Amino acid sequence: NDGPRPCRFDGDEPVREMVFAFLLWDAPLATAQGAMERLSCAVVDVNDLRVCSSDEVLAMLGAGYPRVEERASRLRGSLRALFTQENTLRLGHLAGKAPAAVRKQLRALGEPPSFVVERTLLVGFGHLAVPVDERTAARLADCGVLHPGTDAAAASAWLLENTPEGEVESAAAWLQAWADTGGRVPAGMEPVGGGRAQAGGGNGKLDGDKGGGGRAVKGKGSKGANGRGSNGSNASKGNAARSRRGGKA
């Protein structure tokens, strides 16, 4: 016996990022990284994870994990949907497609939260996206950045539209770090021109003076806060700088 096997989690990189996005949804980065490490030591690859029972996935995540039962169910559902649709657990065939096309395909994989779709789009494929989960949207609303009741998908669309293209990736990382610490609204995140994101509309427009045209987020990035699930390194830029801004919901 050579001792315990090294932790590993083989699979298509975009699918691995989708799995990590499920772990990160409504959870702190450190919590998600710990869960990814446990998954890596418990299963061989994403197919092994797909065939795990609900109880097995729940045990890997731990009883105290945020939204643990819903998270496990939706993660397994997306992996099963991908396998049913493609007869494989790979998303690489979506590389090079327009953001809107990739987003549509990801949304069709069971019932992934909008955060999972947007983060996979950003980190897995290098397209521009600002992932926002429910806890982040609620905290932004509490601070007056978003209109009360704005859902996560609408918040993501609005932040993408109002964040300069070159700052999208760092803004996404900064938002994760800010949400993890329950931080205060920093300079540059106040509503611009008196406007707020429109509640429930999902159209990413400002309720107030659109002529303000300012930045929703200044992108004071916490390097690594948007790190990959496998090792916590910075997210790959991919072709984000070249992707068309938009691909709106």
Side-chain angles (χ1 to χ4, degrees):
N1 189 347
D2 295 329
R5 68 177 178 83
C7 294
R8 62 191 181 91
F9 188 59
D10 294 335
D12 179 64
E13 190 65 15
V15 175
R16 287 165 50 89
E17 293 300 342
M18 184 180 73
V19 170
F20 185 67
F22 267 104
L23 303 179
L24 190 59
W25 167 53
D26 271 352
L29 178 66
T31 299
Q33 289 174 328
M36 191 70 172
E37 183 71 12
R38 292 193 295 277
L39 291 183
S40 298
C41 291
V43 300
V44 174
D45 54 26
V46 290
N47 188 61
D48 198 10
L49 180 61
R50 176 183 68 88
V51 299
C52 284
S53 68
S54 295
D55 288 344
E56 288 172 328
V57 176
L58 289 173
M60 291 180 227
L61 296 180
Y65 209 96
R67 306 179 75 154
V68 63
E69 292 186 1
E70 180 185 5
R71 188 183 309 272
S73 175
R74 293 174 82 167
L75 168 58
R76 293 175 65 246
S78 286
L79 291 177
R80 290 197 304 269
L82 175 59
F83 189 80
T84 298
Q85 292 176 24
E86 304 294 338
N87 200 32
T88 184
L89 288 172
R90 302 185 68 83
L91 288 169
H93 63 284
L94 299 178
K97 291 192 175 183
V102 179
R103 183 181 280 111
K104 181 179 180 180
Q105 289 289 106
L106 294 174
R107 285 175 173 170
L109 299 178
E111 297 181 352
S114 64
F115 174 87
V116 171
V117 172
E118 298 303 314
R119 193 181 188 282
T120 305
L121 195 70
L122 174 69
V123 184
F125 292 96
H127 291 306
L128 296 180
V130 182
V132 177
D133 53 22
E134 284 81 355
R135 68 177 186 137
T136 305
R139 287 177 177 172
L140 289 171
D142 288 343
C143 293
V145 177
L146 298 176
H147 189 83
T150 304
D151 64 23
S156 290
W158 182 73
L159 286 168
L160 176 61
E161 184 168 321
N162 290 278
T163 302
E165 188 170 297
E167 298 181 10
V168 167
E169 187 174 354
S170 60
W174 183 88
L175 273 175
Q176 178 71 45
W178 177 80
D180 286 355
T181 59
R184 299 175 297 276
V185 179
M189 280 193 66
E190 298 87 352
V192 176
R196 291 184 176 182
Q198 190 172 23
N203 59 8
K205 301 295 184 183
L206 289 176
D207 246 347
D209 177 15
K210 188 176 180 183
R215 301 178 180 186
V217 179
K218 283 189 95 171
K220 296 179 180 177
S222 171
K223 294 293 185 180
N226 202 30
R228 292 180 176 274
S230 53
N231 56 18
S233 62
N234 289 344
S236 170
K237 293 188 183 300
N239 63 345
R242 300 185 299 276
S243 298
R244 287 187 59 190
R245 184 97 173 269
K248 296 179 185 177

